[in-house]
């Protein structure tokens, strides 16, 4: 399964929404690839659940997994965290406060 298939299975039209947000912020191609990678891994980690239904605790669980089990470097962990913040705020339209309240 490739990146776009995972996102589309979790929520149809999601890849288009991610690409629109990336274009809006004028991110370069490398940033686009990196963000799509981490967003897809997050969705796959949570077994293709609709990201709208995932909460802050789910995001923290994924980041903890990357840190403790995968033992990512601090820089890569920061990339993943930034990608998820972008995803929740700019793609799903959830502010940090809304994410905390949902948890």
């Amino acid at each position: 399964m490739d990146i776009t298939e995972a996102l589309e299975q979790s929520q149809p039209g999601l890849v288009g929404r991610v690409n629109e947000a990336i274009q809006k912020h004028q991110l370069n191609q490398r940033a686009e690839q990196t963000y799509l990678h981490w967003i897809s891994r997050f969705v796959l980690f949570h077994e293709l659940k609709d990201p709208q239904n995932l909460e802050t605790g789910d995001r923290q669980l994924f980041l903890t997994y990357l840190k403790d089990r995968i033992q990512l470097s601090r820089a890569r962990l920061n990339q993943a965290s930034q990608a998820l913040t972008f995803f929740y705020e700019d793609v799903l339209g959830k502010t940090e406060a809304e994410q905390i309240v949902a948890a």
Side-chain angles (χ1 to χ4, degrees), residues 16-90:
R17 291 175 60 195
V18 171
N19 286 329
E20 285 174 18
I22 286 170
Q23 289 174 0
K24 177 182 170 189
H25 289 279
Q26 300 179 339
L27 300 177
N28 64 33
Q29 185 177 8
R30 185 65 185 132
E32 175 182 359
Q33 292 170 341
T34 300
Y35 279 18
L36 282 171
H37 170 82
W38 289 118
I39 293 166
S40 296
R41 284 193 62 179
F42 174 69
V43 168
L44 286 168
F45 178 80
H46 289 292
E47 300 174 349
L48 302 175
K49 292 180 186 168
D50 184 339
Q52 291 281 20
N53 298 326
L54 297 174
E55 300 170 351
T56 301
D58 297 312
R59 180 165 66 174
Q60 192 57 48
L61 182 66
F62 176 66
L63 293 173
T64 299
Y65 166 78
L66 293 176
K67 179 180 167 236
D68 296 343
R69 299 288 305 272
I70 305 298
Q71 297 182 342
L72 282 185
S73 68
R74 184 175 294 174
R76 300 264 301 166
L77 192 59
N78 191 37
Q79 277 183 343
S81 180
Q82 288 176 341
L84 294 179
T85 297
F86 169 83
F87 180 57
Y88 272 90
E89 292 178 1
D90 296 302

